[in-house]
Amino acid sequence: DTEVTQTPKHLVMGMTNKKSLKCEQHMGHRAMYWYKQKAKKPPELMFVYSYEKLSINESVPSRFSPECPNSSLLNLHLHALQPEDSALYLCASSQRKVLFTDTQYFGPGTRLTVL
Amino acid sequence: AQTVTQSQPEMSVQEAETVTLSCTYDTSESDYYLFWYKQPPSRQMILVIRQEAYKQQNATENRFSVNFQKAAKSFSLKISDSQLGDAAMYFCAYRSAQGGSEKLVFGKGTKLTVNP
């Protein structure tokens, strides 16, 4: 089973709203990732959590705030977003074991529109 | 820094035929992993195949196989007996094998159309 789930599938929000994206996996993976993908472009890494600790922040604006409450859950809190933040937000997870290929498995994404 | 190049923005193939998607990469590392991901219009990124750089044998997964040429830094994907469901954007990706290096470096993608 290589399932990563994301909710909601679609989200429309105003620039003054606060919303959260949720990602969940039950594969025992210990690394989780947030990516942003604009139309017809490859995904861009935003954050990486490894063993529930933030290990990579790719200089993402503070209006995006990640949270990893436990090893199965990853949230992305959104506040005061701009229209250019409209994109597909993908979550991924990987085993994070030594001597393993550490393949990332992706969720279906949340399509975010900022008005 | 590593880079991944997919020189074919779009490709098309007839159903049941074979198509090859190209990918080249640039790295100074000797140990790394390479991946092909597929992203259909449903938008979920699906792992197609992966290759460990230390393995000489080319990876295969059913109708999908790769031609991994380490010296040439080339990693092409061959899809045999193409099916309508293969239509998607295909991304080639590189990941370092260095400890703590989780970042995937993606190419810009190749859009594959399968004609009935």
Side-chain angles (χ1 to χ4, degrees):
Chain A
D1 183 12
T2 55
E3 186 176 4
V4 176
T5 59
Q6 289 187 245
T7 54
K9 288 186 178 180
H10 301 275
L11 179 63
V12 179
M13 61 185 290
M15 289 190 285
T16 58
N17 292 155
K18 285 185 180 181
K19 296 286 184 183
S20 297
L21 309 184
K22 180 180 173 181
C23 173
E24 198 164 3
Q25 57 87 14
H26 294 288
M27 297 178 280
H29 289 179
R30 301 309 299 273
M32 297 186 77
Y33 311 75
W34 279 116
Y35 288 86
K36 174 183 179 180
Q37 187 180 24
K38 301 286 270 185
K40 300 184 180 181
K41 299 287 186 183
E44 299 174 4
L45 183 66
M46 300 175 71
F47 303 103
V48 179
Y49 273 84
S50 182
Y51 293 92
E52 295 94 69
K53 293 189 189 306
L54 184 65
S55 61
I56 293 179
N57 177 341
E58 291 283 302
S59 303
V60 178
S62 59
R63 57 185 184 268
F64 295 91
S65 176
E67 179 196 20
C68 189
N70 58 57
S71 60
S72 300
L73 267 177
L74 183 67
N75 299 318
L76 186 62
H77 302 297
L78 314 172
H79 174 55
L81 294 193
Q82 303 297 310
E84 59 264 29
D85 296 322
S86 298
L88 179 67
Y89 287 83
L90 293 165
C91 174
S93 71
S94 65
Q95 284 196 334
R96 200 70 181 94
K97 286 183 179 178
V98 178
L99 302 182
F100 199 84
T101 58
D102 211 35
T103 299
Q104 292 181 30
Y105 296 94
F106 286 80
T110 294
R111 175 74 65 193
L112 174 67
T113 302
V114 182
L115 301 177
Chain B
Q2 298 85 13
T3 59
V4 176
T5 302
Q6 293 178 250
S7 58
Q8 307 150 315
E10 295 188 25
M11 293 279 286
S12 64
V13 63
Q14 291 296 126
E15 198 175 2
E17 297 293 305
T18 295
V19 64
T20 298
L21 308 184
S22 300
C23 173
T24 58
Y25 57 94
D26 188 27
T27 184
S28 58
E29 298 176 334
S30 59
D31 199 13
Y32 47 86
Y33 305 107
L34 296 165
F35 305 85
W36 279 99
Y37 283 91
K38 163 186 175 181
Q39 189 175 35
S42 65
R43 59 186 206 208
Q44 181 158 6
M45 295 276 285
I46 301 166
L47 177 69
V48 176
I49 200 165
R50 65 184 175 212
Q51 174 82 42
E52 292 86 350
Y54 62 85
K55 290 186 178 179
Q56 290 188 327
Q57 186 173 7
N58 289 325
T60 63
E61 286 287 342
N62 301 313
R63 298 182 294 107
F64 299 88
S65 61
V66 297
N67 184 3
F68 174 48
Q69 301 289 329
K70 191 172 184 179
K73 297 180 182 175
S74 171
F75 182 60
S76 61
L77 174 70
K78 186 171 84 170
I79 306 174
S80 304
D81 186 25
S82 296
Q83 301 176 359
L84 295 177
D86 295 333
M89 183 71 84
Y90 285 81
F91 291 100
C92 178
Y94 169 103
R95 188 178 74 79
S96 170
Q98 289 183 5
S101 179
E102 301 99 336
K103 187 172 182 176
L104 277 175
V105 179
F106 287 94
K108 291 187 175 182
T110 297
K111 182 180 180 182
L112 178 66
T113 301
V114 181
N115 300 309

